[in-house]
């Protein structure tokens, strides 16, 4: 009777992603595009057409950019940190349009005492935008540092 000996070999492969390409080619342009949405808050509230032309142009630019960038991202079944960031940027651009419309409606159709609410909405948008970017910076650096960069790119 033969006793067969089985040999096992374990191989460990360590793969590191360098997210600089994704940071400079996806995150930074989306950061700039969405940040420019804040410029629409500086246009007078009664100039809704001008405010919406800026906001909607940025929204369409971000949508086109998302389509172009998706070809350089891996085709996977879950959302990465960059996917979530791009979706959040799109959400903030839609929110920019909504805030501009509300601001115009308050100035045009409400009493003068409600005119400052548009400024408060713009400040809330800006605070949310800063908080979102701080959150994504923290999450992406934490994932990179502890080696669980599964969702970074």
């Amino acid at each position: 009777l033969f006793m067969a000996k089985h040999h096992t070999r374990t191989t460990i492969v360590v793969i590191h992603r360098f997210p600089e390409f994704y940071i400079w080619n996806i995150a930074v342009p989306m950061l700039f595009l969405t940040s420019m949405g804040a410029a629409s808050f500086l246009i007078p509230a009664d100039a809704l057409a001008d405010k919406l032309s800026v906001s909607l142009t940025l929204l369409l630019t971000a949508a086109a950019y998302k389509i172009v960038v998706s070809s350089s991202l891996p085709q996977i079944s879950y959302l990465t940190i960059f996917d979530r960031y791009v979706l959040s940027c799109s959400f903030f651009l839609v929110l920019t349009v909504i805030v501009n419309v509300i601001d115009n409606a308050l100035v045009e159709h409400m009493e003068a005492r409600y005119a400052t609410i548009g400024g408060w909405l713009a400040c809330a948008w800006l605070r949310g935008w800063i908080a979102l970017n701080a959150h994504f910076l923290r999450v992406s650096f934490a994932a990179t540092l502890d080696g669980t960069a599964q969702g970074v790119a």
Side-chain angles (χ1 to χ4, degrees):
L1 297 162
F2 294 100
M3 296 288 285
K5 286 188 172 183
H6 297 285
H7 297 283
T8 60
R9 180 172 293 185
T10 304
T11 303
I12 298 173
V13 178
V14 178
I15 298 174
H16 292 281
R17 282 189 184 169
F18 298 105
E20 288 84 10
F21 172 81
Y22 299 104
I23 290 170
W24 291 111
N25 292 302
I26 297 170
V28 171
M30 286 303 294
L31 170 78
F32 289 152
L33 277 175
T34 309
S35 296
M36 284 189 285
S40 68
F41 300 135
L42 301 175
I43 300 170
D46 57 348
L48 182 62
D50 296 334
K51 291 172 84 94
L52 289 181
S53 69
V54 169
S55 303
L56 292 174
T57 300
L58 289 170
L59 183 61
L60 291 173
T61 303
Y65 187 71
K66 168 76 170 117
I67 291 169
V68 170
V69 163
S70 66
S71 65
S72 67
L73 292 174
Q75 301 285 326
I76 51 178
S77 62
Y78 58 89
L79 291 176
T80 64
I81 292 172
F82 282 117
D83 292 328
R84 290 185 182 122
Y85 183 72
V86 170
L87 287 173
S88 298
C89 289
S90 299
F91 168 77
F92 266 87
L93 287 170
V94 169
L95 195 59
T96 304
V97 173
I98 293 169
V99 168
N100 285 329
V101 170
I102 290 172
D103 188 26
N104 178 266
L106 290 173
V107 168
E108 293 287 324
H109 305 292
M110 300 292 184
E111 298 176 22
R113 63 181 172 166
Y114 294 115
T116 59
I117 293 176
W120 289 104
L121 288 173
C123 287
W125 183 95
L126 188 59
R127 285 183 180 182
W129 178 235
I130 290 169
L132 175 87
N133 283 289
H135 169 73
F136 275 105
L137 276 173
R138 184 181 54 79
V139 168
S140 61
F141 281 124
T144 302
L145 291 177
D146 70 6
T148 61
Q150 169 207 357
V152 172

